Amino acid sequence: MCPVTCRCKMREGALLSSLVLFHLLSFSQAARQGQDMKCGACRALVDEMEWAISQVDPKKMIQTGSFRINPDGSQSIREVPLARSEGNLLELMEGVCERMEDYGEVTDPSTDRKSYVRIKPRSGEAMDLSEATLDSRVTASLKFACETIVEHHEDEIIEFFAHETDNVKDKLCSKRTDLCDHALKIPHDEL
C-alpha cells in the first residue's frame, strides 16, 4: 500500500471518528436539555399547583362519597377540604400549563444545566430577572412538556396533591416520575 493512501485512510478514519463523537455529544446535550425541560416543567407545575391550592380558603369543605342510603340507613359521605379535593385538583390542572408562559430560562454557567424561574409576579413584588432568558420558543416547549406530564401522570399528580404537602417537587418529579435525574442537586427554592 502506498504511504499517501495510508495517510488518506487515516484522515478519513479520524474525520469519521470526529463526526461520530460530535454527533454523540450533540445527542447527549440535546437529551440533557430535554431532561432539563421535563424536569423544569414538572417543578413549575408543582409550584403553580401549590400556589393555586393555597389560594382556596382552607375552611371550605366539600362532601364526597356516595349519597346512596346503605342497607343500615347510613350514607358513605365524608367531608374533605375543597382545596385538596379531586374535583378541585382536576380543575386546577386544566389551566396549570397555561401559566408556563410566566416562566423564563436560566442557565447555570458551571454545569450548563437549564432551570426555569417565574418571571411574572403573582402580586406586586419586584423580581430579579437579570439571569433569565425570555424566549417564546422556550415557554412553548415548557408548556408542551407540562401538558405531556399532566397527560401521562394525572393520577400521580392528583394523588400527591390530595395527600402530600411536604417536598412534593422531589417526591413527584424525581422519585415517582423520574422526570428529574438531578433534582437533589437543585436548591428547593429554584425550579
Side-chain angles (χ1 to χ4, degrees), residues 95-107:
V96 73
C97 295
E98 295 298 322
R99 292 193 292 279
M100 294 301 116
E101 65 189 30
D102 296 344
Y103 285 78
E105 184 175 73
V106 176
T107 304

Side-chain angles (χ1 to χ4, degrees), residues 35-87:
Q35 170 90 27
D36 289 348
M37 180 66 68
K38 290 176 189 171
C39 179
C42 184
R43 295 175 72 81
L45 181 148
V46 169
D47 273 351
E48 292 299 321
M49 289 290 290
E50 286 177 337
W51 182 81
I53 289 168
S54 75
Q55 299 306 296
V56 177
D57 182 357
K59 295 175 187 167
K60 284 189 177 180
M61 302 296 273
I62 187 170
Q63 291 183 340
T64 63
S66 172
F67 290 96
R68 289 186 170 168
I69 305 289
N70 294 330
D72 66 355
S74 66
Q75 287 181 309
S76 301
I77 299 175
R78 59 177 223 240
E79 283 196 351
V80 296
L82 173 64
R84 295 194 179 271
S85 68
E86 184 175 337

